[in-house]
Amino acid sequence: MGGPGNPPEGTPEGAPGGGEDEYRSVVFDESFVRAARLQEFSAQERIADHAPAVRRRPPLRRGLSRQALVLVLLIAVAFGTAIYMGVRHPYQTPAAQEPVEPLRMTVIPLAPEGKVPGTADPAYLYAHSSAAQFRTGAEGVPLPASRRTAHFSDSQVVTALTTAKDYVVRSAMDPEVLTGGEVRAVRVLLDPDQLDQFDQSFARPTADGRHAPTGWLVRFDPSRAQLADRKVRVQGTLQAAETDASTLEVTADHTFVYALRAAGAGAEDKVSLFTLRRELHFRFDRDDLRLHQAQLLVSYVQAGPLSCAEDSTNHLRPLLAGQTAREGGPAGTDPYATGGATALCGTLATSAQPKV
C-alpha cells in the first residue's frame, strides 16, 4: 500500500506541487503539546488568583419589579375608572318611585231640555250638529308636535303621547268596549299599581268617585242602546309636559259624538246623537314609558242626553230619539265649550243638540 495517488485528472489546480501535504510543515513539538494540556484550577486557586467560575447575578432589588409596578398601576386605573363610571353614569339612576295615586273620577249627566231630536239617517244628524267637522275614529286624536324636555328625550315624549292616545281610542271608541263587553284592551295600558282599583270598579261599582266603570271607559247599557254607526266622531287635543326630573304628564281633552238607536231596533228606526266631553290626566314615570303603560290620575266626564235620575256609575243609559228627561239639572251645560262644569248634574244646552 503506497501513499495517496494522484487523481486521474492530475494534480488539482492551485494545490501544492508533487501532492505534498499542505500541513506537513506544521510541527507540534513536545513543549507545545505540554502547554496545550487542559488544567483545572483547584477551588482555592480559583478563589485566590482567578475570577469566579460562576457568573455572579446582580443583587436582587428590594421592592417591586417594573412589570409588577405596571400591573399594579393598571389595576388602580381600572378600579378608578369603574368608580368614576358608577358615579358619572350617562344614564340617570332612577329615583325612588312615588306611590301611584288612585284615579279620581267625576261623571256629570247632562239632561236635555225637551225631547231628544232624531232621524233615521245618522249622516244627516252629524251634518246638522256641532260635530259636522269632526274626524272619525283615531284620526280625530292626532299627536301634537313633540319636543324633548329637560330630562326626557323626543322619543320618550312621543311614547307618553302615543300611550295616552291608545288609551283614549281604546276606552272611548272601541265598539267592543262601548257595548259593555271588552275591558282588557283598556286594562293592559294601566300601571300595575292601579289594576286593583280598576278590577274593584268593575266587580263592585260604587258612586264614590273612585270605583265607577264609566270613569275608566265609555260604555252604554246594552239593554238600553246600541251603536247605529260604529264610526265615532271625535275632536280634541293632547298635551305633554314635564313635572319633574322623573315624571311626564299628558292631558287629553276630547269631545266624542256617538250615533245611537234603541236596543233591538232596526235600521229604519230613528237615531239620536250622544255627546261626551272627557278630560283625562295621565302620569308617566320611566318604567311606564318603557312598558307602554300609564297612570290615570283624573277622569272628568260630561255626557248627555242623560237623565239625572239614572245611575251612570256602571253604564251610561242614554235618552234616545223622542225621549225626555224626568228631571233636569241646575244650569245649561254645553259639552262643546272649553269651560268645566261644576255641578253633579247639568242640563244639556239646546245648542249642543243637532238641528232636525
Side-chain angles (χ1 to χ4, degrees), residues 16-39:
E20 295 182 358
D21 189 347
E22 60 178 314
Y23 297 105
R24 187 172 297 173
S25 60
V26 179
V27 179
F28 298 99
D29 57 15
E30 184 178 356
S31 63
F32 178 84
V33 173
R34 187 180 299 111
R37 290 178 181 173
L38 294 176
Q39 181 179 1

Side-chain angles (χ1 to χ4, degrees), residues 303-345:
L306 290 169
S307 174
C308 293
E310 295 278 3
D311 182 9
S312 300
T313 302
N314 193 19
H315 293 90
L316 298 174
R317 296 180 170 87
L319 295 172
L320 303 172
Q323 295 180 339
T324 59
R326 284 184 287 175
E327 61 182 81
T333 303
D334 186 351
Y336 291 97
T338 57
T342 57
L344 295 180
C345 185

Side-chain angles (χ1 to χ4, degrees), residues 203-214:
R204 296 181 295 277
T206 307
D208 60 357
R210 292 289 189 273
H211 299 92
T214 50

Side-chain angles (χ1 to χ4, degrees), residues 48-119:
D49 298 328
H50 300 278
V54 180
R55 181 169 57 91
R56 295 179 180 270
R57 291 185 177 181
L60 292 176
R61 298 179 181 178
R62 294 186 177 182
L64 296 175
S65 67
R66 179 178 299 178
Q67 291 84 354
L69 185 60
V70 171
L71 179 60
V72 171
L73 182 60
L74 289 175
I75 293 174
V77 171
F79 185 71
T81 302
I83 294 177
Y84 176 81
M85 293 299 292
V87 174
R88 302 289 296 177
H89 198 281
Y91 300 100
Q92 294 183 352
T93 302
Q97 299 295 334
E98 296 181 1
V100 176
E101 298 179 15
L103 169 62
R104 295 177 286 113
M105 57 185 70
T106 304
V107 180
I108 301 176
L110 302 179
E113 294 180 336
K115 288 185 178 182
V116 177
T119 182

Side-chain angles (χ1 to χ4, degrees), residues 217-281:
L217 47 81
V218 178
R219 66 177 185 172
F220 301 105
D221 185 347
S223 66
R224 176 74 62 88
Q226 65 183 19
L227 293 174
D229 186 352
R230 295 169 69 91
K231 297 179 180 180
V232 180
R233 272 49 171 190
V234 59
Q235 180 173 283
T237 60
L238 288 169
Q239 295 180 341
E242 177 182 314
T243 55
D244 55 48
S246 60
T247 308
L248 278 174
E249 288 194 359
V250 174
T251 301
D253 189 352
H254 295 85
T255 299
F256 306 87
V257 184
Y258 307 87
L260 305 176
R261 60 166 51 100
E268 69 282 355
D269 292 307
K270 286 188 176 182
V271 176
S272 60
L273 296 185
F274 186 90
T275 306
L276 183 143
R277 163 97 181 280
R278 190 185 191 209
E279 184 176 330
L280 303 177
H281 293 260

